[in-house]
Amino acid sequence: MHDNATAPEDMVALSLVAGAGRKTVYSALRLAARLRRPLSALFGAPLRELLRDAAPGEENAVEALTRCGERETAQAKWLLKCARDGGVEFVRAGSPGYPAFLTVALGDQAPLLLFYRGNEALLESPGAGIVGTRKPTREAGRLAAASADLFAGEGIPVVSGGAAGVDLAAHEAALKSDGSTIVILPEGLQIYDPPSVLRAGVAHGQVLLVSEFLPTDGWQTHRAMTRNRTIAACSALVCVIEPREKGGSMFTAEQALIGGKPVFYWGGACRDGALRGRQGALRLTDARGGLRKSALLKAAQLEKARPPEQIGLFD
């Protein structure tokens, strides 16, 4: 059962309590659903009362609920008002329009809310992830663009971050080929300043800017890593091009493999065997250096065709 009555500001308010991560909020939502009470009705409730009704493992949720009050509620309402006033839309987990595949892939680590600008229909099914170095060689840039062009020609949105290098090369190539692209950000949408090509793409319905962070949140390392997990979850497959051994691109590839998704690799740490021999990992190019087009398209189309299993985080 999905708790569709929970207001987005209540989820945000609880997340503002110190130490209350996503897992805590989802746990609190399940407790509220089981008690058949709105989440906000549990804010500031007596600890003893909540502990009496809590299931094993819900102790952190109970503590957060007792500490959530008027200050957090007011701040949450203000943040969401700022988002709306700034032209930022949002959809909360468990509501119609929230991608079911994110819930399936990430469980209690799925974003509580997705904030976005642009064509929200692009999140109806997974796209094709293309990630890699900020400073690509000429060949890496060519492969990123060629991959994006291939997917654009098949109507498959490109999914990547908003960094210079491979990310931006993939976005630009998709748009140049009249395709579409999804930019998943490690900061809030009121902080991010998109380059002109992406801004124009938003206006023309070809681009979706997405953030799982509050609109005023700035860039932080842990947010970038969380964002990389979301890129993998939003992708039917991932192409990783010239990654560093311990960078965000390799983390994205690892998350895709953990999720049972194909990963196509080229250059960088992959040249030293970082992904070679791993189940689900394939070279991006053939023996002549050309894209493995048929393999890429087969992987993308098969994964996109799988209906996401509907699971209830609030059961």
Side-chain angles (χ1 to χ4, degrees), residues 22 186 212-213 217-229 251:
R22 295 176 184 179
E212 59 200 282
F213 305 106
D217 283 346
W219 188 96
Q220 291 184 4
T221 301
H222 73 90
R223 289 179 182 145
M225 299 307 281
T226 297
R227 179 279 313 269
N228 292 335
R229 185 182 292 114
F251 179 76

Side-chain angles (χ1 to χ4, degrees), residues 141-205:
R142 182 190 73 79
L143 287 172
S147 300
D149 177 72
L150 176 68
F151 296 129
E154 297 294 323
I156 300 169
V158 166
V159 182
S160 192
V166 165
D167 292 11
L168 191 55
H171 293 312
E172 289 180 337
L175 296 176
K176 187 176 180 180
S177 298
D178 293 324
S180 54
T181 194
I182 302 169
V183 187
I184 301 184
L185 301 168
E187 68 257 73
L189 276 168
Q190 290 176 320
I191 300 296
Y192 177 66
D193 183 21
S196 58
V197 64
L198 294 182
R199 195 178 296 115
V202 169
H204 294 140

Side-chain angles (χ1 to χ4, degrees), residues 48-266:
R48 181 177 300 178
E49 175 186 324
L50 290 180
L51 284 175
R52 183 187 64 223
D53 296 318
E58 292 180 343
E59 293 81 6
N60 289 341
V62 165
E63 183 180 353
L65 285 165
T66 63
R67 293 192 286 123
C68 189
E70 293 182 1
R71 182 181 64 178
E72 289 80 11
T73 299
Q75 186 178 359
K77 289 180 178 179
W78 178 81
L79 285 167
L80 295 186
K81 182 180 184 301
C82 287
R84 293 187 186 97
D85 291 348
V88 175
E89 304 290 337
F90 52 86
V91 60
R92 74 161 189 83
S95 67
Y98 186 93
F101 57 80
L102 275 183
T103 302
V104 173
L106 299 177
D108 276 3
Q109 294 301 320
L112 298 169
L113 278 79
L114 285 179
F115 296 89
Y116 62 89
R117 283 195 182 109
N119 184 358
E120 69 271 23
L122 294 178
L123 269 183
E124 290 179 354
S125 63
I130 303 177
V131 298
T133 179
R134 290 172 177 264
K135 297 180 179 180
T137 61
R138 180 178 298 179
E139 181 64 7
R142 182 190 73 79
L143 287 172
S147 300
D149 177 72
L150 176 68
F151 296 129
E154 297 294 323
I156 300 169
V158 166
V159 182
S160 192
V166 165
D167 292 11
L168 191 55
H171 293 312
E172 289 180 337
L175 296 176
K176 187 176 180 180
S177 298
D178 293 324
S180 54
T181 194
I182 302 169
V183 187
I184 301 184
L185 301 168
E187 68 257 73
L189 276 168
Q190 290 176 320
I191 300 296
Y192 177 66
D193 183 21
S196 58
V197 64
L198 294 182
R199 195 178 296 115
V202 169
H204 294 140
Q206 293 175 272
V207 172
L208 178 65
L209 305 177
V210 181
S211 175
E212 59 200 282
F213 305 106
L214 294 170
T216 55
D217 283 346
W219 188 96
Q220 291 184 4
T221 301
H222 73 90
R223 289 179 182 145
M225 299 307 281
T226 297
R227 179 279 313 269
N228 292 335
R229 185 182 292 114
T230 302
I231 289 177
C234 287
S235 302
L237 78 162
V238 169
C239 300
V240 57
I241 300 172
E242 281 190 342
R244 292 185 292 112
E245 184 178 359
K246 296 183 179 181
S249 299
M250 188 63 78
F251 179 76
T252 305
E254 290 284 353
Q255 292 300 305
L257 289 174
I258 290 170
K261 299 179 181 184
V263 170
F264 292 81
Y265 62 86
W266 187 88

Side-chain angles (χ1 to χ4, degrees), residues 1 3 6 14 23-43 45-66 108 313-315:
M1 178 192 72
D3 176 20
T6 302
L14 188 57
K23 186 174 182 179
T24 298
V25 176
Y26 282 124
S27 182
L29 286 164
R30 286 190 285 268
L31 173 59
R34 197 168 62 249
L35 296 176
R36 299 183 180 277
R37 298 176 65 185
L39 183 65
S40 58
L42 303 183
F43 291 172
L47 179 63
R48 181 177 300 178
E49 175 186 324
L50 290 180
L51 284 175
R52 183 187 64 223
D53 296 318
E58 292 180 343
E59 293 81 6
N60 289 341
V62 165
E63 183 180 353
L65 285 165
T66 63
D108 276 3
L313 285 178
F314 313 139
D315 290 355

